[in-house]
Amino acid sequence: MKDLVIIGGAAPESINSEVSSYREIIAADSGYDTAKRLGLTPTKVVGDFDSTALSSELKKLGYIPCNRDKDDTDAAIAIKLVDGDYDLIGGGEGRIDHTLSLLVAFRTLKAPSLWYMRADTLRLVNDSVAFEAPCGVDISIIPLEKAIVTTHGLKWDMTDMELSERFISQSNRVDKNIVEIITDSPVFLRFFPSDYSEVRFL
């Protein structure tokens, strides 16, 4: 079973019923507010509680905020608590330094299998994946580090293309109903949330 981490930043308006299958639900600071809005009850809450609107409630529940002057972000503290694979909710459309610190945490700790935000859904691919999707679905391929990527079934297919912090495959499109992506290093596949619901991984 995977864990679920919920952090601050723009999150989806709703979630599916798969949430009941998570081993732990870990909220970081205002991720607690998001969890409550989504009808979820975290099993752990961490952070300095500087962005949650519910700090009094958290303290009544026995949670103690950590010091605001710390080396790790609240999100990194939460990620360090996961046991194995995890999914992530939140983190979207916020401060650029927060987004960049998340990418650092993914590289130094562990990246989520799925990352749900309001405007984006990202799926991690460690080596290869095949999926079925309607033609025209928008997809971007974002490497965590340098990655050599080959694709089949996209509008602009790649053969042993090097993706890195200098170049990502942005706004490509599904051109054939079956798409295959092969990579030698972890990459995120980015979809619009409405499109992701139509993708079937094989």
Side-chain angles (χ1 to χ4, degrees):
M1 293 179 71
K2 290 191 288 187
D3 290 341
L4 176 64
V5 174
I6 308 173
I7 62 176
E13 294 301 320
S14 61
I15 50 173
N16 59 36
S17 58
E18 294 174 5
V19 167
S20 62
S21 66
Y22 289 111
R23 187 184 69 88
E24 297 264 20
I25 298 178
I26 306 165
D29 209 315
S30 60
Y32 179 74
D33 307 46
T34 298
K36 289 202 71 172
R37 178 177 62 77
L38 294 173
L40 301 174
T41 302
T43 53
K44 297 175 182 172
V45 182
V46 298
D48 53 25
F49 303 170
D50 67 339
S51 59
T52 176
L54 303 169
S55 59
S56 297
E57 179 177 323
L58 285 168
K59 290 170 185 173
K60 285 179 183 176
L61 290 170
Y63 290 107
I64 301 171
C66 64
N67 194 316
R68 187 173 182 184
D69 297 325
K70 57 191 186 303
D71 292 330
D72 285 328
T73 63
D74 293 334
I77 292 170
I79 292 169
K80 285 182 176 181
L81 293 176
V82 303
D83 183 17
D85 292 336
Y86 74 101
D87 292 345
L88 181 67
I89 292 177
E93 304 166 60
R95 286 171 42 177
I96 185 65
D97 55 338
H98 286 182
T99 303
L100 293 173
S101 73
L102 274 175
L103 295 177
V104 170
F106 296 161
R107 293 183 186 112
T108 57
L109 300 173
K110 187 169 188 169
S113 301
L114 285 166
W115 184 6
Y116 301 100
M117 292 171 278
R118 184 172 299 152
D120 308 282
T121 298
L122 281 73
R123 183 184 178 110
L124 185 68
V125 176
N126 289 304
D127 42 36
S128 65
V129 71
F131 61 87
E132 184 178 9
C135 290
V137 162
D138 189 275
I139 179 174
S140 295
I141 304 175
I142 305 166
L144 283 177
E145 299 175 356
K146 185 174 77 170
I148 305 300
V149 177
T150 295
T151 68
H152 304 284
L154 297 180
K155 177 74 173 175
W156 296 282
D157 269 329
M158 297 175 281
T159 301
D160 294 332
M161 177 76 73
E162 181 179 302
L163 303 184
S164 69
E165 67 277 0
R166 294 176 178 230
F167 177 74
I168 67 172
S169 176
Q170 183 174 351
S171 296
N172 209 326
R173 290 196 299 275
V174 171
D175 194 50
K176 297 177 180 169
N177 288 120
I178 303 294
V179 174
E180 184 181 15
I181 296 172
I182 303 162
T183 178
D184 71 344
S185 186
V187 298
F188 278 123
L189 306 184
R190 181 270 175 195
F191 299 91
F192 287 111
S194 57
D195 287 341
Y196 186 76
S197 64
E198 299 187 58
V199 176
R200 185 173 70 89
F201 287 89
L202 305 174

